[in-house]
Amino acid sequence: MWGFFTRDPTKDLVNFEIQEQVQFDPQIQERTIWTLNNCKRKSSSVLPVGTSQPQQNQDSLYSVFSFQFRQGQENLFQSAKNAFKRTKMLRHPSILMFQDGIENDKSIFIVTERVQPLFNYLRESKENDAQRLNEISWGLYQIATALNFINSDCKLVHNNVNMSSVFVNRAGEWKLLGLEYSHGIQDQAPYKHLTTLDCYTSPEKSPLGGLNSNQNVRQHESGADSWALGCLIWEIFNGALPNVNALKNPGQIPQRLVQTYMALINPSPEKRLTPSKFVNLCRQSNGFMNNHFIDTLLFLEEIQIKDTNEKTKFFTELTNKLDDFPSQLCKYKILPQLLQAYEYGNAGSSVLAPLFKLGKLLDENEYKKNIIPVVVKLFSSTDRTTRMRLLSQLHLFVEHLSASIINDQIFPHICLGFNDSNPAIREGTIRSMVLLAPKLNYNNINVELMKHFARLQAQDDQGMIRTNTTVCIGKIAPYINPQLRQRILLSAFPKAMRDPFPLSRLSGIIALANTDRFYTLKDIATKVMPSLCCLTVDPEKDVRDEAFKTLKQFMQKLEKVSDQPELALDLEKDVQSCNLDLKNETSWTSWAMTSLSSKMTGYKNKNQQPSIALNTQPLGPPPSINAAAKSETKPEEKKTDEAKIEVFKEEKKIESINSGWNFEEDNDWKDLEDDDQMEPLEPIAPIKANLSTKSTVNPTNASKSDWSEWTNSFEDETNQLPKASSYNWSSSQTNDDDIFNNLVKDVKISEKKNPQSSSSSGWDSWNDWSDSKETKKQERVKKQTENKQKITAGPLKLGQKKTNMNFEF
C-alpha cells in the first residue's frame, strides 16, 4: 500500500517519456524553483483537446518543467501552482506555450516545446558579432512585446523577469516563462522566498515584498517589469547580475542601447519607459532594433497583407542580407515562412533565390522533406520568370535531387525550354544539361537530349545558342553511352565547324581538341584532321590559330604512335570507357558557358563571313590555268566536262540537303552504326573532278599574278555565300519522335524556295558558257536528260574514282 505513495511521480506523464536533465548555470539555478528535462511524446499518446498532431523528428520533442514538493517548501509549492495556472492561461507568440501538464499534491509538471535556458544558449552560440547583435535585438524585441501584452492586455505584472525566466527554442526565438510570482496590477505582489532574487527588486518595492502603500506608486506597479527588463539587458551583455549596484555601470552594453537601458532603470517608476515605449525608441533611426533582421522578420509576419510589388522587392533584396542573420533563425524561422509564403502567399518566383540559399543550411533529409517538393512543383510551372530563375540557380540544389526525380519529374518539363521562343530560356536550358547529365538515364541523354541538340545546332537562329550547344555536347561527352559517343561527337563538332558564326566554329575546334581521347587513331587521321584543315584558311584569325594548334596536337599524337605502335592501345583506352575522370572538364568550357557575351563583343561590329568549310562547291583551278585549258579543249571534250560538272552539282545538292549531323534520308542514328560507311567530312571526289580537265599548261609556269587571282576569286566566292539569317532556322518541331525527319523536311523546303542558295557564284566566274540563246536552250535540255539518267543510276559516292577525270599540272 505504501508503494503507491512512493512511486515515481514522472509516471503521471503517461503521454511523454522524460529524458535527460538540462543543467542550468549554477548562478542561474539558484534563482529558479524549476527543474528542466527534455522529453519526447510517446507514439501511442493521446493528444489533449485543441492540440494539433505533432510531426515526427524535431516536432515530437518537448521540454518539461517540474517541481517536487518537499517538507518545508509550502510557499514555493504555492508559487509553482501559480505558475502552472498562469502558463496554462496565457497565449502569446513570445510566451512559452503550455502543451500539457499535471498538477497534484506532490508535484507539478509543465510540458512546453523543446527549449534551453537563455544563459546556456548565449554561452554556446557560435555566431559572429553582427549575427549575435541581430539575435539579441530580436530577442529583446520579443521579450518586450510579451511584457507589453502581460501589462497592457492582461493587466498583470510578471514580477520575475531575469535570465532564469527566459528560454530559447530551436529556431532561436526567445520565450518568456517564470510566472510563479505574477499577479494582477491591483493585487498585492507575492513574497519572493528566494533571497537570490532580491537584486532584481525595483527601488519602490519594500525589501520584504508587497506593495508600497503610496497610491502614486500603486498606479505604476507595472514599472517593476520595466526595471526587470533593464536588469535582463545588463545580464545579457555582462553575465549574471551580482547585486543592484552593478546596474549603474552599463559594462558591455552597446552604445546605441545605453540611453534606453538607463531609462528603464530610472529610480522613479513614473519616469521609466514602458515595454512598448522601449520598443518604439529602439526602432527609431539609429536605434538598437532598427536593422534589416527585425525588418525581415516583421515583414514575414505580415506578408499576407502585403501587395505583390512589396513582396517582389522584399524577396529580391533578402538574398544579400541573409549572411548577417543568425543561422538558427534562418533555418527554423525564416525558411519555413518563405515556404509558406510561396505555397499560400502568392510570392512568385522572386522567393526562389533566398529559398535556395537558406536551403544550404539544411541536412539531406530536411532538404528532401522541405525543398525538393517545392522544386518539383516549380519546374511544372509555365511562368517564364520562374523557369529562368530555376535554371540559373540549378547549381544550388541539383546535388540534392535524386536520379529518379530528375528523369521522371524534372527532365520532361526542362525539355520544353529547348523549344521556347525566348532565346534566354533556350540557352539556360542548354546550360542546365551540364549539371543534370550525370544523373540522366540512357534514353534521356542518348536519345531525347541528342534530338534537341541536333535541332538546335542545325536550326537555331541565335549563334550563341548554337555555340553553347556545341560546348554542352563536349562537356557531357563522358556521360554519353560509349557505343554512341564517338559517332555523335564526330557528327556534332564538324557540323559546328561549318557554322557561319565564328564562335561556333571556334567551339567546335576546342571541343574536338578536348575530347581527343574519345576518337580512334583512324578517325583522327581520316575524319578529324581533314575537317580541321579547312579551318586553317578561316576568315577569323582566332579560328585559324586554334585550328593550327589543334592540328599540331593530333599530329603529335599520331607521330607518337607511329614511333611507338605499342602505345596505340593505351591512347585509345577511353574510347569505349565509362565513369571517366572529370577533373579537367571545366576549364576548357568556361569561356563559352559563362562568358560568351564578353567574347561576342569582338564580333558584333565585324562583317560576319561564313567559314570556308561551309563552301558547298568544289575548289576550282586557278583562273589562268582554266582559261588556257578552255582555249585548247575540243568541243567533244568540252561537252563531256560540262556533263561532269552537272553531275557534281547534283551531288552537292544532295549533300546540302543532308546538312545535319551526317544524317541520310532516313535521318536516324543508324546511319552512324558502321563507321566504314561514313562519308569523308570533306568532298574529296568533287575536287578531283574539277582538277581533271586536261590542259597543256604547266602549273609551274603560272605567274604569281595568276595565283593571286585564284586567291581573290576564292575569297570572292566565300564572301558571296549566304549568311546564317538566310537559312530556315525557325522551323517548329511538334513531334519529338520524328524530329530528324522534320529537320530534313525543313531543309528541303528551304532548298526549294531558294534554288540558287546551293550554288556558288564562283562557277560563273570561270565557266564561259555559249552566249547564244538557242545553244543554251539545247544544252539545258541535254543536261536535264543526262541528270535524270544519273539520278536513276543512283547518286555518286564521294571519293569514287572516275576514268579520264585526272588533271595533271
Side-chain angles (χ1 to χ4, degrees):
M1 177 177 177
W2 295 104
F4 174 78
F5 296 99
T6 60
R7 67 188 180 91
D8 187 359
T10 60
K11 298 296 184 181
D12 294 332
L13 286 173
V14 295
N15 294 333
F16 296 89
E17 177 186 348
I18 296 183
Q19 299 173 329
E20 71 279 0
Q21 181 178 348
V22 178
Q23 297 295 334
F24 286 91
D25 183 86
Q27 290 181 303
I28 303 300
Q29 181 66 66
E30 62 185 13
R31 299 181 183 185
T32 181
I33 64 174
W34 299 103
T35 300
L36 177 61
N37 289 79
N38 292 329
C39 69
K40 182 179 180 180
R41 182 180 292 274
K42 298 177 181 178
S43 58
S44 59
S45 63
V46 179
L47 296 175
V49 178
T51 305
S52 60
Q53 175 67 41
Q55 299 178 358
Q56 299 298 323
N57 300 328
Q58 288 288 341
D59 292 337
S60 63
L61 303 180
Y62 296 87
S63 292
V64 56
F65 294 83
S66 61
F67 179 84
Q68 304 296 329
F69 175 75
R70 294 181 179 86
Q71 192 68 28
Q73 294 183 342
E74 291 80 2
N75 293 329
L76 294 180
F77 190 62
Q78 291 299 321
S79 299
K81 285 186 175 183
N82 184 44
F84 184 89
K85 180 183 70 172
R86 299 290 188 188
T87 304
K88 193 174 182 179
M89 177 183 65
L90 295 177
R91 288 288 187 271
H92 187 270
S94 297
I95 297 178
L96 199 53
M97 182 178 292
F98 180 90
Q99 299 288 343
D100 201 350
I102 294 176
E103 178 185 2
N104 55 39
D105 294 339
K106 297 296 181 180
S107 59
I108 294 177
F109 295 93
I110 300 176
V111 179
T112 67
E113 62 178 307
R114 177 64 63 87
V115 292
Q116 62 177 315
L118 175 61
F119 190 90
N120 297 13
Y121 179 80
L122 294 177
R123 182 182 57 193
E124 298 170 2
S125 177
K126 298 179 181 180
E127 309 289 357
N128 58 41
D129 292 342
Q131 293 172 337
R132 184 181 178 86
L133 287 177
N134 283 331
E135 188 175 45
I136 293 175
S137 66
W138 175 245
L140 289 176
Y141 179 91
Q142 291 179 296
I143 299 302
T145 53
L147 287 175
N148 183 64
F149 168 76
I150 292 173
N151 296 157
S152 301
D153 298 336
C154 301
K155 305 301 181 183
L156 296 174
V157 179
H158 186 280
N159 199 32
N160 190 33
V161 179
N162 55 69
M163 188 73 81
S164 66
S165 60
V166 180
F167 300 86
V168 184
N169 63 10
R170 67 167 182 163
E173 294 187 289
W174 294 11
K175 304 288 186 176
L176 186 61
L177 198 63
L179 294 166
E180 49 268 27
Y181 304 114
S182 60
H183 62 91
I185 289 182
Q186 301 300 325
D187 298 334
Q188 184 175 0
Y191 179 76
K192 297 180 181 180
H193 297 277
L194 297 179
T195 58
T196 53
L197 297 177
D198 291 343
C199 59
Y200 302 113
T201 304
S202 58
E204 67 273 14
K205 294 280 188 171
S206 64
L208 298 179
L211 188 65
N212 191 296
S213 59
N214 190 328
Q215 184 66 25
N216 187 37
V217 175
R218 193 181 188 84
Q219 295 177 356
H220 300 281
E221 176 64 20
S222 60
D225 285 344
S226 298
W227 174 275
L229 179 60
C231 296
L232 176 64
I233 293 174
W234 193 96
E235 288 188 310
I236 290 172
F237 293 99
N238 300 289
L241 181 65
N243 53 66
V244 68
N245 294 326
L247 296 173
K248 297 178 182 179
N249 181 15
Q252 299 181 14
I253 297 177
Q255 189 62 36
R256 291 187 301 165
L257 187 58
V258 170
Q259 184 176 357
T260 49
Y261 158 74
M262 297 302 295
L264 287 172
I265 59 172
N266 193 302
S268 300
E270 64 273 10
K271 294 182 180 180
R272 290 178 199 151
L273 291 177
T274 62
S276 61
K277 290 182 178 180
F278 168 75
V279 171
N280 292 335
L281 285 177
C282 289
R283 290 286 292 157
Q284 291 180 3
S285 178
N286 201 34
F288 183 68
M289 298 180 185
N290 184 22
N291 53 59
H292 293 306
F293 182 56
I294 294 183
D295 293 341
T296 298
L297 294 174
L298 294 180
F299 187 94
L300 289 173
E301 290 180 354
E302 302 172 352
I303 194 170
Q304 299 297 335
I305 61 175
K306 303 293 184 180
D307 59 37
T308 304
N309 294 333
E310 289 178 315
K311 292 178 184 178
T312 302
K313 181 181 178 182
F314 169 77
F315 289 121
T316 302
E317 298 174 350
L318 177 60
T319 306
N320 296 329
K321 301 175 182 177
L322 292 174
D323 293 332
D324 292 333
F325 292 179
S327 58
Q328 289 296 104
L329 277 158
C330 287
K331 184 177 179 179
Y332 297 111
K333 174 72 174 178
I334 299 178
L335 181 59
Q337 291 188 348
L338 291 181
L339 293 171
Q340 187 177 11
Y342 172 78
E343 189 73 20
Y344 306 108
N346 193 24
S349 60
S350 58
V351 74
L352 296 181
L355 182 65
F356 292 141
K357 186 170 183 177
L358 292 179
K360 294 187 294 184
L361 300 174
L362 303 177
D363 58 33
E364 191 65 23
N365 293 331
E366 290 175 327
Y367 199 98
K368 290 180 179 179
K369 175 184 175 182
N370 298 315
I371 306 297
I372 297 301
V374 176
V375 170
V376 174
K377 182 178 179 180
L378 287 172
F379 271 109
S380 63
S381 173
T382 57
D383 180 62
R384 280 179 171 170
T385 304
T386 301
R387 183 178 294 270
M388 193 63 201
R389 294 194 183 209
L390 280 171
L391 294 174
S392 62
Q393 297 164 12
L394 183 62
H395 63 282
L396 297 177
F397 57 88
V398 67
E399 61 182 309
H400 302 284
L401 299 175
S402 64
S404 59
I405 290 178
I406 290 177
N407 287 284
D408 300 336
Q409 302 182 51
I410 293 180
F411 183 77
H413 295 296
I414 289 185
C415 284
L416 299 176
F418 289 122
N419 299 317
D420 200 284
S421 59
N422 189 332
I425 298 293
R426 298 200 301 273
E427 186 175 12
T429 305
I430 294 170
R431 293 183 179 184
S432 68
M433 292 301 108
V434 177
L435 299 173
L436 296 178
K439 298 183 179 181
L440 293 180
N441 58 30
Y442 177 91
N443 184 70
N444 283 341
I445 190 172
N446 296 291
V447 180
E448 298 299 328
L449 183 58
M450 291 304 121
K451 286 182 181 180
H452 291 294
F453 280 174
R455 180 182 56 80
L456 288 171
Q457 198 181 45
Q459 288 186 301
D460 200 281
D461 60 345
Q462 298 292 323
M464 305 310 295
I465 293 180
R466 300 197 300 275
T467 301
N468 265 343
T469 301
T470 302
V471 171
C472 186
I473 295 172
K475 185 78 171 175
I476 68 175
Y479 307 108
I480 301 176
N481 186 272
Q483 302 299 325
L484 302 174
R485 179 168 54 210
Q486 184 179 359
R487 295 188 290 274
I488 291 175
L489 300 185
L490 289 178
S491 298
F493 297 154
K495 169 66 180 176
M497 292 160 59
R498 297 192 294 271
D499 194 287
F501 189 61
L503 284 180
S504 183
R505 302 197 296 274
L506 189 60
S507 67
I509 299 173
I510 298 176
L512 276 175
N514 287 274
T515 56
D516 61 337
R517 54 182 170 164
F518 301 133
Y519 313 124
T520 63
L521 297 173
K522 179 181 177 182
D523 286 336
I524 291 176
T526 60
K527 299 174 183 178
V528 176
M529 294 186 67
S531 61
L532 286 171
C533 289
C534 298
L535 296 184
T536 57
V537 288
D538 191 90
E540 298 293 340
K541 188 176 186 304
D542 291 343
V543 177
R544 296 195 300 271
D545 292 345
E546 196 64 39
F548 281 118
K549 178 182 176 181
T550 306
L551 278 170
K552 292 178 182 178
Q553 174 183 331
F554 284 113
M555 183 62 71
Q556 291 173 358
K557 190 172 184 178
L558 295 177
E559 289 177 350
K560 186 177 182 180
V561 175
S562 177
D563 296 336
Q564 301 177 349
E566 64 276 7
L567 297 178
L569 292 178
D570 184 63
L571 293 177
E572 293 182 351
K573 65 180 180 179
D574 291 338
V575 173
Q576 298 296 329
S577 299
C578 298
N579 301 323
L580 301 171
D581 184 14
L582 306 179
K583 292 186 296 185
N584 299 323
E585 291 294 325
T586 304
S587 58
W588 73 271
T589 55
S590 60
W591 69 273
M593 297 299 289
T594 59
S595 59
L596 277 177
S597 57
S598 61
K599 286 187 169 289
M600 186 177 177
T601 56
Y603 294 95
K604 283 184 178 179
N605 299 324
K606 298 179 66 172
N607 183 18
Q608 297 298 332
Q609 297 180 355
S611 170
I612 291 178
L614 279 174
N615 190 355
T616 58
Q617 300 301 331
L619 185 62
S624 59
I625 299 178
N626 189 36
K630 286 195 298 181
S631 63
E632 297 184 11
T633 302
K634 296 180 181 180
E636 294 80 1
E637 294 177 348
K638 182 175 181 180
K639 292 180 180 180
T640 303
D641 294 340
E642 293 170 357
K644 295 173 184 175
I645 292 173
E646 290 302 319
V647 170
F648 286 112
K649 283 187 176 180
E650 287 297 324
E651 290 182 3
K652 295 312 292 182
K653 287 182 179 179
I654 295 174
E655 211 176 293
S656 63
I657 291 176
N658 296 325
S659 59
W661 290 359
N662 290 337
F663 296 119
E664 301 293 343
E665 289 299 328
D666 57 356
N667 212 19
D668 201 350
W669 290 111
K670 62 185 180 182
D671 65 326
L672 301 174
E673 289 298 328
D674 188 0
D675 292 343
D676 296 334
Q677 295 178 0
M678 292 181 63
E679 297 179 357
L681 298 178
E682 200 55 24
I684 300 175
I687 296 178
K688 292 183 178 180
N690 287 285
L691 299 177
S692 63
T693 306
K694 292 186 178 181
S695 174
T696 58
V697 180
N698 189 347
T700 58
N701 297 330
S703 62
K704 295 182 179 179
S705 60
D706 292 335
W707 288 106
S708 62
E709 291 175 5
W710 183 23
T711 303
N712 295 335
S713 174
F714 179 72
E715 292 178 351
D716 293 338
E717 289 180 3
T718 303
N719 292 334
Q720 294 175 7
L721 286 175
K723 297 185 178 181
S725 58
S726 67
Y727 293 102
N728 183 21
W729 300 108
S730 58
S731 299
S732 61
Q733 298 295 336
T734 58
N735 188 354
D736 289 343
D737 296 332
D738 198 25
I739 193 167
F740 288 116
N741 288 331
N742 291 336
L743 175 60
V744 172
K745 290 178 182 178
D746 291 338
V747 178
K748 285 183 177 179
I749 292 172
S750 177
E751 290 291 337
K752 289 179 180 180
K753 290 182 179 180
N754 302 290
Q756 300 299 327
S757 63
S758 62
S759 61
S760 174
S761 60
W763 287 95
D764 296 331
S765 64
W766 63 279
N767 287 297
D768 186 17
W769 306 105
S770 174
D771 295 331
S772 172
K773 209 169 188 182
E774 193 67 18
T775 304
K776 288 183 178 180
K777 184 176 181 181
Q778 294 175 0
E779 290 177 349
R780 191 179 302 111
V781 173
K782 184 176 180 179
K783 293 172 189 174
Q784 292 176 354
T785 303
E786 293 175 350
N787 290 342
K788 289 180 181 179
Q789 295 175 355
K790 294 293 184 181
I791 294 175
T792 303
L796 294 177
K797 293 185 177 180
L798 296 178
Q800 180 177 348
K801 295 184 179 180
K802 305 177 184 63
T803 58
N804 299 326
M805 298 286 288
N806 295 327
F807 176 79
E808 298 180 358
F809 287 91

